[in-house]
Amino acid sequence: MRLEKITVVGAGVMGRGIAYVLSLAGFHTTMVDVSLEQLRLAKNEITQLAEHAVQRNKISSEAKDNVVENIHLSVELEAVAKETDFVIEAVPERRDLKQQVLATVDAHARAEVIIASNTSTISPTELGSYTKRPQQVAAMHFFNPVHRMKLVEIVKGLETSEETVNVIREVAHQIGKETVEVKEFPGFVTSRISAMVGNEAFYMLQEGVATAEDIDKAIRLGLNYPMGPLELGDLVGLDTRLHNLKYLHETLGEKFRPAPLLEQYVKAGRLGRKTGRGVYDYSSDGE
Ligand SMILES: NC(=O)c1ccc[n+]([C@@H]2O[C@H](COP(=O)([O-])OP(=O)(O)OC[C@H]3O[C@@H](n4cnc5c(N)ncnc54)[C@H](O)[C@@H]3O)[C@@H](O)[C@H]2O)c1
């Protein structure tokens, strides 16, 4: 199957990273969002990523120009879906939103178009049921920051065809990613472990076991994780982390009950880097 035009629905933390790697690999990439402001920010961030990559001799300046040229923006999902060859959904981890987006794409995209979801936790079988093409729906789970993280987790739903998995694997390879295939189970492999570790760190912070800095330092230097769980939570977005935990709590039980302190941070709008403040403060002097 020859793919040229790829649509990324949701231009947030993940959507913009995914759009960057797709455009860098030469795909005609359209980001669709309900917010014009998010689209504008996403385009700026992608341009900056490409400029930094040129400065660090990771890509040529022609490649940067191609990135900028390959990125298109729209708030009209129906119109974009009609023209697309492949869709990656990256809207917030809420069933109602995912259902609305998948049903709209399904109603307007050509019959053969595959819909991949960047969901961290939701069953691809359930996502497939929001469409009339469940054999062409699967999870294609990227990691943050997308341009640096090598892995894509591919998760098949009950009806997902082998052909769909093959096409998703091929797209992942074309953008320089390694893939693993995971059986459908809440949280797949990575989200389940990451949510558990991140939640435990929040319980420790709440219990006053150590400062946030020392919890992160202990895990980085003592367990050799590249990032501490609290700084990772700020990068991921504490609202996204809380959504994932609530889902895992519902499906896998008590061990995933979200830490009350995490719930409080989200209520206060301390969502992490994207709002300038989470566990850490990113507002004034940056890092
Ligand atoms: N943040 C992470 O580290 C991470 C990692 C892996 C997977 N994920 C998953 O990726 C998905 C997106 O997460 P995120 O962190 O990028 O979220 P985000 O909140 O940063 O961005 C979501 C974007 O979707 C847009 N949106 C909302 N409703 C929409 C609609 N109906 N149509 C089009 N756009 C819409 C929002 O305006 C926003 O720009 C979630 O399913 C999340 O679980 C996140």
Side-chain angles (χ1 to χ4, degrees):
M1 189 185 291
R2 184 159 163 64
L3 301 175
E4 281 173 11
K5 294 184 176 174
I6 300 192
T7 301
V8 180
V9 190
V13 172
M14 294 304 287
R16 51 189 78 170
I18 296 168
Y20 172 60
V21 293
L22 288 168
S23 61
L24 190 58
F27 290 105
H28 175 289
T29 306
T30 305
M31 279 190 288
V32 179
D33 203 288
V34 285
S35 154
L36 271 174
E37 176 64 3
Q38 281 289 81
L39 288 169
R40 194 185 60 73
L41 290 170
K43 177 106 192 216
N44 282 351
E45 194 173 315
I46 289 171
T47 309
Q48 275 175 14
L49 276 175
E51 280 165 358
H52 284 152
V54 174
Q55 282 158 15
R56 298 199 334 274
N57 288 325
K58 299 268 183 199
I59 65 171
S60 66
S61 67
E62 294 75 51
K64 185 209 83 181
D65 294 343
N66 289 337
V67 165
V68 177
E69 218 165 89
N70 286 337
I71 292 280
H72 307 267
L73 309 177
S74 178
V75 287
E76 314 253 343
L77 182 56
E78 293 182 9
V80 173
K82 284 182 186 147
E83 303 291 321
T84 197
D85 297 329
F86 186 91
V87 175
I88 301 176
E89 169 277 308
V91 300
E93 192 78 348
R94 278 178 36 199
R95 287 188 161 65
D96 56 333
L97 290 179
K98 305 247 184 227
Q99 178 164 19
Q100 184 204 331
V101 166
L102 264 64
T104 305
V105 171
D106 186 41
H108 295 92
R110 294 193 316 279
E112 66 275 19
V113 169
I114 287 170
I115 310 173
S117 171
N118 186 44
T119 181
S120 308
T121 51
I122 301 176
S123 144
T125 301
E126 186 181 333
L127 295 173
S129 78
Y130 300 152
T131 73
K132 295 192 181 69
R133 59 181 87 193
Q135 67 288 353
Q136 285 152 244
V137 176
M140 181 179 193
H141 185 211
F142 289 85
F143 297 85
N144 188 4
V146 177
H147 65 288
R148 286 219 217 108
M149 302 299 282
K150 282 302 271 182
L151 188 67
V152 168
E153 230 176 356
I154 303 174
V155 191
K156 270 172 81 171
L158 184 65
E159 312 277 358
T160 311
S161 69
E162 266 319 305
E163 169 63 10
T164 295
V165 172
N166 291 340
V167 173
I168 292 177
R169 195 189 300 110
E170 183 56 32
V171 171
H173 289 169
Q174 284 181 38
I175 57 180
K177 302 298 179 198
E178 300 273 343
T179 57
V180 290
E181 277 168 52
V182 177
K183 289 214 179 97
E184 175 167 308
F185 209 80
F188 317 143
V189 170
T190 51
S191 301
R192 191 166 151 188
I193 297 284
S194 176
M196 170 65 80
V197 172
N199 201 33
E200 203 54 37
F202 256 97
Y203 274 113
M204 287 180 185
L205 190 61
Q206 180 182 307
E207 288 156 8
V209 171
T211 61
E213 287 82 357
D214 278 358
I215 293 171
D216 278 342
K217 189 173 173 185
I219 302 302
R220 272 197 320 271
L221 304 186
L223 301 185
N224 214 14
Y225 282 35
M227 283 181 92
L230 297 169
E231 51 186 338
L232 180 62
D234 275 0
L235 181 70
V236 165
L238 296 183
D239 52 339
T240 301
R241 171 129 284 169
L242 181 61
H243 273 302
N244 293 353
L245 276 164
K246 282 185 171 163
Y247 177 70
L248 293 172
H249 183 221
E250 228 172 73
T251 50
L252 298 178
E254 206 41 40
K255 61 185 177 179
F256 287 97
R257 179 183 289 281
L261 184 64
L262 171 60
E263 304 223 30
Q264 253 184 329
Y265 276 32
V266 172
K267 276 187 200 142
R270 287 173 61 169
L271 307 185
R273 283 179 183 263
K274 63 184 169 186
T275 56
R277 194 164 176 224
V279 176
Y280 299 103
D281 194 343
Y282 304 90
S283 52
S284 53
D285 42 8
E287 308 291 295

